[in-house]
Amino acid sequence: MVRRVSLPSVMLGMLVCAFAMVLLGASLAYGAPKDGEVRIHVMPCNNTDAIIVECDGMFGVVDSGEDSLSPDGTDERYPLRGGITVGQGIESQVISYMETLGITQDNLEFYIGTHPHSDHIGSAADVIRKFHPKTVYTPPYCDSYISEESRRWDNRFVYDRLVEAVESYDGKFVQYLDPDWTEAAEPDVGGDEGGIEDAAGSGEVPGGGGVASGNANGDEPGGSSTGSGEEGGNGGELEDAAVKRELLTGRPSFTLGSAQIEIMNYDPVDTDYSIYRVPDANRFSYAVLVTAPNGRKAFLAGDIDDYSQGWSLGGGDETKIAQTLRNVDFLKMAHHGRQGSNTPSFLTAIMRPMVNGVRPVAVQTGSYRLLPEQTIQALHRIGAKHFNATSESDNGYLALVATLGDSGVTTNVDHTGLLLQKRSSAPWAFYYLDGVPQIQRTGWQMVDGAWRYFEGDGSLAMGWRQVGSKNYYLRWSDGSMATGWHHEGDKHYYLQSDGSLYVGKGWTKFGNRWFYYADASGAVKVGWLREKGKWYYLSPDDGAMATGWAKADGAWYYLDGSGAMRTGWQKIGGKWYYLKGSGAMAEGWARVSGAWYYLRPGSGAMATGWAKADGAWYYLDGSGAMRTGWLKDKGKWYYLTGSGAMATGERVIGGVSYSFDDSGALR
């Protein structure tokens, strides 16, 4: 189970629309299957399993991915818990693809829900209600089975929806597997028409033989009690439960056309998870083995892992399965390829090794970057082709389709070009051709029109890499060698035409711009630089020397044509500006050489004539200096106070009363 945070609804809508476009625009890109030919369809949905098995015109589904619904907190049976996936359902995509394949209620033989996690059976209810599979298989579940409450999520919610969907039509429901079981005449359940609902729909019948005594949440362990919660059993009710249990029992092996299907990794019928609790539902995940008439095998591993009960690696389900399973030609990797599953010993034991160039195929349904290194190396040693179903949606595929042919497994996504698979830790990436890592490549290689560097193990170098005495930058997006400018935060580097890092000293010109190297790191200097008594400003955006106006630290500065910072009075573009001793452009009032000047806020341009500031009018003469005292302007007299502010109203000046109108003119 992989839990993901919710996507914003807009982003989700974009994803759904994008997938819909693929469905409409792409073709299946493969012909009709031959008689007896088995095909495995793996939907390209990240960290979720949706798989279709096809043989002789008949179909089966093994998990169907996330649902769009989630608990809303109104039903006490389904509490809101951290980690519940919201708004990432793929039911519409799955149903559309099934319809594209021609699946109907007449040819869908089975639905297998490997375990009650929403990334596997969330959409089961929608698929089951739409296509009415003849038989539905899924293990029983109640929250009391899971010892770690943080891992109960919405398990019961999706499980109950599946059960309700099965009850909506006349299909067979199998929850207990017994290889020795034989179908008998339908037992008499005493007129109780809710046999399936009573036995499984409530989620309260444990894996053991007793009737559950649980509360409304199905959280209490089951045993031999009556269902009322009182001690002491009722032999009749226990017998009735056994009859209902019989209704939900079936064989783990059956056919799909001429193919053989076997459910693996189920627990004995007497296992009671209400007593023998497990930390996570992955511990009772089904796995499914598909055997074609030609003997080719596909193993769909669900979420099996190799953790033991104590969370230690080893001795878990993979170890058990590896004791008997051999010669698997196609593997749907367990748990989407995450750590704890797909251990090297398991892969080596079960997969058919490459013989005469015929390779087994492993398909991952989660992010490639999460694969443990040891898993990658094991696949390399086996000689397996390795595909990532998720990445194939980017290449326009409706699904990754594997055909179990006489001469080996073929897929519809065998690439004619190279496919980059990236990881979150070293080795960072491998290049794949037709699903095969190109590990024979080492050193510099021209690939897809770009130079790339391959390490000794065949992995692709990414990020900074020293080769010989030179440093190179290999892009994280695809490993291609960068040239020209490369920016990392506030660091700026120049990579020459051969990709090597340029390490300069002092002023260096690239194109028509100047840069400054202050040390041997290869990064150009940014910000203020003082050299030979002058200040220069190097743009934080790219390190280029600024000329003209530049804003730094919230202030404006002027750099002349040589890049040197100017101070004092400067006439620029026909206007005068005052640049303080720091170089910062003055704004508002400034006293220079005993006179006051007004530099317009925002522009810094020196004002002349009338100017309004701080709610008063002032007069600046032709030099920009503020006037005081009497002023005659355009035939009218004005009086400017000692602060320079224009007088209005009644004023006594030199012992004489004067009257000024609202414009400041003497009446």
Side-chain angles (χ1 to χ4, degrees):
M1 179 72 176
V2 177
R3 289 288 160 183
R4 305 180 298 278
V5 298
S6 304
L7 289 175
S9 58
V10 174
M11 183 179 295
L12 177 63
M14 294 173 62
L15 292 174
V16 172
C17 291
F19 199 98
M21 293 177 63
V22 172
L23 284 173
L24 293 172
S27 68
L28 294 178
Y30 51 87
K34 302 176 182 177
D35 290 344
E37 192 172 69
V38 172
R39 285 181 175 172
I40 310 294
H41 304 251
V42 184
M43 300 279 294
C45 303
N46 193 34
N47 290 326
T48 187
D49 275 11
I51 303 166
I52 300 165
V53 183
E54 176 185 10
C55 183
D56 296 330
M58 299 179 181
F59 299 87
V61 174
V62 180
D63 292 332
S64 53
E66 265 300 350
D67 58 326
S68 298
L69 296 179
S70 60
D72 59 11
T74 59
D75 192 326
E76 65 178 6
R77 296 174 299 172
Y78 314 123
L80 298 178
R81 298 181 174 125
I84 293 178
T85 302
V86 178
Q88 298 183 42
I90 63 169
E91 55 267 59
S92 61
Q93 295 95 309
V94 173
I95 289 173
S96 295
Y97 184 71
M98 292 175 67
E99 292 176 332
T100 301
L101 292 179
I103 297 177
T104 67
Q105 294 183 3
D106 295 326
N107 59 19
L108 185 58
E109 297 296 302
F110 65 82
Y111 181 101
I112 298 174
T114 58
H115 62 294
H117 279 167
S118 65
D119 57 338
H120 290 259
I121 68 163
S123 63
D126 299 273
V127 171
I128 291 170
R129 290 181 185 275
K130 174 72 174 180
F131 295 101
H132 291 184
K134 294 180 177 62
T135 307
V136 175
Y137 302 83
T138 200
Y141 177 80
C142 57
D143 279 342
S144 62
Y145 293 177
I146 310 302
S147 60
E148 295 205 9
E149 295 187 12
S150 62
R151 294 176 177 268
R152 293 175 180 176
W153 297 302
D154 57 347
N155 300 353
R156 186 174 178 190
F157 178 79
V158 297
Y159 172 81
D160 283 356
R161 291 187 67 234
L162 181 153
V163 173
E164 292 167 0
V166 179
E167 294 173 351
S168 68
Y169 71 103
D170 187 24
K172 182 171 178 57
F173 192 30
V174 175
Q175 292 204 274
Y176 305 93
L177 299 172
D178 184 353
D180 299 320
W181 180 86
T182 55
E183 188 170 5
E186 182 174 333
D188 183 5
V189 296
D192 186 353
E193 298 179 355
I196 292 179
E197 181 178 359
D198 293 342
S202 68
E204 294 180 359
V205 175
V211 178
S213 63
N215 58 21
N217 292 318
D219 290 336
E220 298 297 326
S224 60
S225 60
T226 65
S228 65
E230 300 177 358
E231 295 185 359
N234 183 306
E237 292 186 359
L238 288 175
E239 182 178 352
D240 191 50
V243 171
K244 295 172 182 177
R245 170 73 169 265
E246 180 72 12
L247 286 173
L248 300 173
T249 300
R251 294 177 62 85
S253 299
F254 45 92
T255 59
L256 179 70
S258 55
Q260 185 70 30
I261 311 296
E262 180 182 358
I263 299 176
M264 303 182 68
N265 200 51
Y266 60 89
D267 286 294
V269 294
D270 60 347
T271 299
D272 187 348
Y273 287 113
S274 297
I275 300 174
Y276 305 102
R277 301 177 20 158
V278 293
D280 190 284
N282 288 340
R283 302 304 166 83
F284 48 80
S285 172
Y286 288 163
V288 179
L289 178 64
V290 182
T291 305
N294 59 16
R296 298 288 177 186
K297 299 177 182 178
F299 186 66
L300 313 177
D303 271 4
I304 66 169
D305 55 37
D306 208 42
Y307 288 115
S308 64
Q309 183 70 11
W311 286 98
S312 59
L313 192 62
D317 293 330
E318 288 193 346
T319 296
K320 298 173 185 176
I321 292 172
Q323 295 174 5
T324 57
L325 184 60
R326 295 290 185 272
N327 294 325
V328 169
D329 299 276
F330 176 89
L331 172 67
K332 195 291 298 183
M333 301 177 72
H335 206 187
H336 318 293
R338 295 178 67 87
Q339 187 173 2
S341 302
N342 312 290
T343 55
S345 59
F346 176 70
L347 297 175
T348 302
I350 73 164
M351 296 192 74
R352 189 189 301 273
M354 181 180 67
V355 178
N356 297 326
V358 178
R359 299 174 181 268
V361 173
V363 174
Q364 186 189 356
T365 57
S367 173
Y368 178 88
R369 66 185 182 85
L370 299 178
L371 271 180
E373 179 181 357
Q374 59 267 31
T375 297
I376 296 174
Q377 299 300 339
L379 292 172
H380 291 181
R381 290 192 298 270
I382 295 168
K385 291 187 176 184
H386 177 209
F387 295 100
N388 185 282
T390 301
S391 64
E392 300 308 333
S393 63
D394 299 332
N395 298 319
Y397 290 98
L398 298 172
L400 184 148
V401 184
T403 300
L404 308 186
D406 293 339
S407 57
V409 179
T410 59
T411 74
N412 65 325
V413 299
D414 283 349
H415 300 285
T416 56
L418 291 166
L419 173 67
L420 178 67
Q421 302 278 29
K422 293 187 291 183
R423 291 168 32 79
S424 59
S425 60
W428 299 111
F430 287 94
Y431 259 98
Y432 286 75
L433 177 62
D434 294 338
V436 180
Q438 303 301 286
I439 58 178
Q440 74 275 14
R441 298 174 180 268
T442 58
W444 288 109
Q445 300 283 336
M446 176 65 73
V447 180
D448 289 351
W451 285 103
R452 294 174 168 87
Y453 190 83
F454 292 84
E455 307 287 4
D457 63 355
S459 64
L460 185 66
M462 307 184 85
W464 287 105
R465 180 68 163 83
Q466 183 174 341
V467 182
S469 61
K470 298 181 178 181
N471 289 293
Y472 301 83
Y473 184 77
L474 296 313
R475 296 184 179 92
W476 282 103
S477 59
D478 61 4
S480 60
M481 183 188 76
T483 60
W485 286 103
H486 171 66
H487 308 284
E488 293 181 7
D490 62 351
K491 303 291 186 182
H492 310 284
Y493 305 88
Y494 186 79
L495 302 159
Q496 302 177 91
S497 59
D498 67 350
S500 63
L501 174 67
Y502 178 83
V503 180
K505 185 176 181 180
W507 289 108
T508 303
K509 192 174 187 180
F510 296 114
N512 60 355
R513 300 191 302 169
W514 286 94
F515 300 83
Y516 192 87
Y517 287 89
D519 54 44
S521 68
V524 298
K525 184 173 176 56
V526 298
W528 289 105
L529 166 70
R530 185 171 176 84
E531 189 191 49
K532 297 181 180 179
K534 296 182 178 181
W535 285 98
Y536 301 84
Y537 187 69
L538 308 167
S539 172
D541 295 334
D542 57 12
M545 182 190 77
T547 59
W549 289 107
K551 193 172 187 178
D553 305 320
W556 285 95
Y557 299 81
Y558 188 80
L559 301 310
D560 64 21
S562 72
M565 182 189 77
R566 304 291 293 270
T567 61
W569 286 107
Q570 301 291 330
K571 191 174 186 179
I572 304 168
K575 297 180 180 180
W576 284 95
Y577 301 84
Y578 185 74
L579 307 171
K580 303 174 186 178
S582 66
M585 180 187 77
E587 298 182 67
W589 290 105
R591 187 172 178 84
V592 182
S593 301
W596 285 97
Y597 299 83
Y598 187 68
L599 297 310
R600 299 189 183 280
S603 72
M606 183 188 76
T608 59
W610 290 104
K612 192 174 187 178
D614 305 321
W617 284 94
Y618 299 83
Y619 189 85
L620 299 309
D621 64 22
S623 71
M626 182 189 76
R627 293 284 300 273
T628 61
W630 288 102
L631 168 71
K632 189 176 185 179
D633 181 52
K634 298 179 180 179
K636 296 181 179 180
W637 284 95
Y638 301 84
Y639 187 77
L640 306 167
T641 65
S643 67
M646 180 187 75
T648 59
E650 302 297 325
R651 291 288 182 118
V652 177
I653 302 171
V656 180
S657 295
Y658 297 90
S659 179
F660 303 92
D661 63 20
D662 292 341
S663 70
L666 180 66
R667 296 180 189 276

